């Protein structure tokens, strides 16, 4: 997911692109991408791939250490002075091109962008970036592939393979035909030539495996995923219960914090749906039982959540504009129009950076209780890879040059390189305050080049200038990860899911919105599931089950 503007599971399924845009990618991407005679993309072949040898970088010591379960390291402040990881630029001059995405407004072009110019200097290359907003990615990517003039670095997946796969029809065949198998350069101990790529955990590399090889560079993220953010300052002011122990107590919280006269509601309709699903035990996309997959939408637990949220909406606890297109949910939360909002853990520092409530602003995470009480419900675990980047086929010398640049782009937290990549040049793009960088307007405008989506270092928990918030974010992740629920299809690829996910999501989301808006009865959900199955859901299920078997 894009960090600047994450799209959590506010509705049943998140991050779906429009059906029309996604469908537009199909025919173009199939052209020239038939089986090239390489290794077939089967679960057996992919299981035999030797992943890069994980070699953690012994750099900055975290104030609160992570663990092998997926808990991230947390840092109260940035090292000062930060060590320089590279004695010289990694590039050999010349031009390097990349097709990247961004969730922020597209920044100024290189001739008007001092950050981009400094980046070129530090890399010692002329970096040609095609920066594409996430919503435009499918159509722009289809045009790129149709023209067959691929850049060196290609971001073909907005999300991970088991999620969206960028809507590319027959993605494995396209990778085999057009992109470089990186196994000879990165498999096993070969990755040690690039120590910061070796610093990326194995779980992230697993989602770059296709056709019996390593076909991408991962952008790793924490598995803590999406949480229900809570305006702790407002909860304190309203004397509301921040930790309801059952659905009944949560309903009482919604009533206590809602005041339409003050333009304040508990949450959006989608946020309520997100949270109640956890309480009743809706699976994380799929449930695997006895070798058979059941989709979340098919479960009785989902129907129960839908019925309960419908009543919460009728009671007036949801923001009345919840269902408008591109609803500004982050702004509503920051302004106090809603006091609960689901978002990815990476949004924690963003909320503080965009705080409009003043110095008293305080946020935390609300854990979902079991519906009838008796402890907390498991939260949905996120995938360990945000997206991956493929490299255009080239000779060995060129590939090694590109991997050297990728190694620089993966320099970890605590280094000068990481600080520059994220925040720019001190005094121009940020200032240091309370042990952390605070971006200037120039920093916000110029640094959003999308290079974080080429490859990235392992993520860290760090709210710049706010050690207390960093600790709070860390403690929340520490509390939920041991009981978090994994999607059983993570690491497997369904071509039908890649091509049809947007259309399938649209079916379910449209019915869900119509039911919660009162336009359709609750019983219409049976029709939604029937349409979903006939529209490709059963096909997707079959492809995943074949691989899981």
């Amino acid at each position: 997911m894009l960090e600047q503007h994450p799209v959590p599971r506010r509705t049943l399924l998140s991050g779906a692109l429009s059906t029309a845009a996604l469908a537009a990618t199909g025919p173009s991407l199939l052209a020239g991408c038939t089986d090239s005679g390489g290794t077939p993309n089967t679960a057996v072949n992919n299981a035999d791939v030797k992943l890069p040898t994980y070699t953690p970088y012994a750099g900055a010591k975290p104030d609160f250490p992570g663990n092998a379960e997926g808990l991230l390291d947390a840092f109260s402040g940035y090292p000062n002075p930060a060590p320089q990881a590279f004695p010289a630029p990694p590039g050999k001059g010349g031009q390097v091109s990349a097709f990247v995405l961004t969730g922020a407004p597209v920044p100024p072009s290189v001739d008007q962008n001092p950050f981009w110019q400094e980046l070129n200097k530090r890399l010692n290359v002329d970096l040609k970036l095609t920066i594409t907003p996430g919503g435009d990615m499918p159509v722009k990517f289809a045009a790129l592939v149709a023209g067959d003039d691929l850049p060196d670095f290609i971001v073909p997946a907005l999300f991970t393979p088991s999620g969206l796969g960028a809507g590319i029809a027959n993605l494995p065949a396209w990778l085999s035909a057009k992109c470089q198998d990186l196994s000879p350069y990165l498999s096993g101990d070969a990755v040690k030539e690039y120590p910061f790529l070796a610093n990326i955990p194995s779980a992230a590399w697993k989602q770059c495996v296709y056709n019996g090889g390593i076909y991408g560079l991962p952008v790793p993220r924490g598995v803590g995923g999406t949480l229900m953010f809570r305006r702790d300052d407002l909860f304190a002011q309203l004397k509301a219960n921040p930790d309801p122990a059952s659905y009944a107590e949560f309903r009482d919280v919604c009533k206590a914090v809602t005041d339409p006269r003050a333009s304040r509601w508990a949450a959006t309709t989608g946020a309520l749906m997100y949270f109640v699903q956890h309480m009743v035990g809706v699976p994380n996309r799929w449930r695997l039982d006895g070798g058979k997959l059941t989709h979340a939408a098919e479960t009785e637990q989902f129907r129960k959540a839908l019925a309960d949220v419908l009543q919460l909406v009728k009671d007036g606890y949801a923001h009345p504009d919840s269902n408008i297109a591109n609803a500004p949910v982050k702004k509503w939360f920051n302004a106090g129009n809603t006091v609960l909002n689901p978002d990815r853990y990476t949004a924690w520092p963003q909320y503080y950076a965009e705080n409009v409530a003043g110095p008293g602003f305080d946020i935390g995470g609300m854990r979902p209780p079991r519906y009838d009480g008796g402890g907390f419900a498991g939260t949905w675990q996120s995938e360990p890879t945000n997206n991956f980047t493929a490299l255009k086929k080239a000779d060995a010398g060129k590939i090694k040059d590109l991997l050297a640049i990728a190694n620089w782009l993966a320099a970890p937290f605590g280094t000068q390189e990481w600080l520059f990549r994220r925040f720019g040049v001190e005094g121009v793009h940020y200032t240091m305050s309370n042990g952390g960088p605070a971006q200037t307007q120039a920093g916000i405008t110029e640094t959003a080049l999308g290079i974080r989506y080429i490859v990235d270092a392992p993520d860290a928990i760090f709210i710049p200038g706010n050690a207390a918030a960093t600790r709070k974010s860390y403690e929340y992740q520490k509390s939920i990860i041991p009981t978090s629920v994994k999607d059983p299809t993570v690491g497997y690829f369904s071509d039908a899911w890649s091509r049809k996910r947007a259309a399938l999501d649209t079916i379910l989301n449209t019915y869900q919105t119509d039911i919660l808006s009162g336009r359709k009865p609750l019983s219409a959900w049976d029709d939604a599931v029937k349409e979903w199955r006939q529209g490709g859901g059963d096909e997707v299920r079959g492809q995943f089950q074949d691989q899981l078997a």
Side-chain angles (χ1 to χ4, degrees), residues 81-156:
Q84 186 172 339
F86 289 83
K92 295 181 179 179
Q95 193 175 107
V96 171
S97 56
F99 180 81
V100 297
L101 62 99
T102 183
V106 175
S109 58
V110 63
D111 59 316
Q112 301 176 23
N113 191 326
F115 172 76
W116 194 338
Q117 295 165 17
E118 180 63 20
L119 176 64
N120 283 347
K121 180 180 176 182
R122 297 193 184 199
L123 288 173
N124 190 34
V125 296
D126 179 13
L127 190 60
K128 299 293 185 183
L129 297 175
T130 301
I131 305 171
T132 306
D136 298 336
M137 176 64 90
V139 173
K140 293 286 184 68
F141 186 69
L144 177 81
V145 175
D148 206 28
D149 183 20
L150 297 176
D152 300 312
F153 291 110
I154 316 154
V155 180

Side-chain angles (χ1 to χ4, degrees), residues 90-93 96 125 153 185 193-194 391 395-407:
K92 295 181 179 179
V96 171
V125 296
F153 291 110
Y185 310 94
E193 185 174 344
Y194 313 99
L391 274 63
D395 61 68
K398 177 69 171 180
I399 295 300
K400 288 183 176 181
D401 290 345
L402 294 175
L403 291 175
I405 291 170
N407 187 52

Side-chain angles (χ1 to χ4, degrees), residues 237-294:
Q237 290 175 26
L238 299 169
K239 296 181 172 57
N241 178 11
D243 295 303
S246 65
Y247 172 76
E249 289 190 13
F250 176 70
R251 185 182 58 219
D252 291 342
V253 169
C254 292
K255 180 179 180 179
V257 299
T258 297
D259 184 355
R261 293 170 300 179
S263 296
R264 187 180 63 246
W265 293 267
T268 63
T269 302
L272 295 171
M273 191 66 196
Y274 165 82
F275 204 56
V276 176
Q277 284 184 78
H278 286 77
M279 293 188 208
V280 298
V282 173
N284 185 358
R285 191 180 290 136
W286 295 96
R287 175 180 293 149
L288 181 64
D289 186 13
K292 178 177 172 55
L293 287 171
T294 301

Side-chain angles (χ1 to χ4, degrees), residues 13-16 497 500-510 532:
L13 297 167
S14 69
W497 184 234
K500 297 182 178 182
R501 178 180 173 180
L504 292 172
D505 283 4
T506 296
I507 292 169
L508 298 178
N509 288 335
T510 299
W532 178 88

Side-chain angles (χ1 to χ4, degrees), residues 136-418:
D136 298 336
M137 176 64 90
V139 173
K140 293 286 184 68
F141 186 69
L144 177 81
V145 175
D148 206 28
D149 183 20
L150 297 176
D152 300 312
F153 291 110
I154 316 154
V155 180
L158 294 181
F159 302 102
T160 46
S162 58
L164 183 59
I168 298 176
N170 206 355
L171 173 65
W174 178 80
L175 289 169
S176 179
K178 302 294 182 181
C179 301
Q180 185 70 43
D181 179 2
L182 300 173
S183 303
Y185 310 94
L186 300 177
S187 183
D189 287 346
V191 76
K192 292 183 178 180
E193 185 174 344
Y194 313 99
F196 296 133
L197 298 182
N199 182 49
I200 297 174
S202 298
W205 287 106
K206 287 180 181 179
Q207 296 192 281
C208 299
V209 172
Y210 291 86
N211 309 312
I214 300 171
Y215 274 85
L217 302 173
V219 173
R221 292 291 180 263
V223 298
T226 298
L227 67 141
M228 181 65 91
F229 278 96
R230 180 185 62 209
R231 281 290 301 270
D232 283 354
D233 53 333
L234 294 179
F235 266 74
Q237 290 175 26
L238 299 169
K239 296 181 172 57
N241 178 11
D243 295 303
S246 65
Y247 172 76
E249 289 190 13
F250 176 70
R251 185 182 58 219
D252 291 342
V253 169
C254 292
K255 180 179 180 179
V257 299
T258 297
D259 184 355
R261 293 170 300 179
S263 296
R264 187 180 63 246
W265 293 267
T268 63
T269 302
L272 295 171
M273 191 66 196
Y274 165 82
F275 204 56
V276 176
Q277 284 184 78
H278 286 77
M279 293 188 208
V280 298
V282 173
N284 185 358
R285 191 180 290 136
W286 295 96
R287 175 180 293 149
L288 181 64
D289 186 13
K292 178 177 172 55
L293 287 171
T294 301
H295 192 266
E298 301 174 293
T299 64
E300 288 304 315
Q301 290 92 339
F302 184 86
R303 288 170 171 78
K304 169 65 174 169
L306 195 58
D308 284 326
V309 173
L310 178 60
Q311 187 59 53
L312 293 175
V313 172
K314 288 179 178 178
D315 290 339
Y317 303 146
H319 194 292
D321 294 329
S322 292
N323 296 319
I324 65 172
N326 301 314
V329 293
K330 286 180 181 288
K331 291 184 178 179
W332 289 344
F333 180 72
N334 262 9
N337 302 124
T338 58
V339 298
L340 296 167
N341 188 53
D343 213 331
R344 200 165 187 182
Y345 74 89
T346 51
W348 212 300
Q350 181 188 359
Y351 284 126
Y352 277 97
E354 298 177 358
N355 164 35
V356 296
F361 181 77
D362 187 26
I363 60 176
M366 179 182 283
R367 292 184 67 183
R370 295 182 186 275
Y371 188 87
D372 293 317
F376 294 110
T379 55
W380 292 331
Q381 188 175 117
S382 287
E383 300 180 30
T385 310
N386 183 75
N387 65 279
F388 70 88
T389 294
L391 274 63
K392 181 176 67 173
K393 283 187 176 180
D395 61 68
K398 177 69 171 180
I399 295 300
K400 288 183 176 181
D401 290 345
L402 294 175
L403 291 175
I405 291 170
N407 187 52
W408 188 94
L409 292 172
F413 183 95
T415 63
Q416 288 186 25
E417 289 80 1
W418 188 97

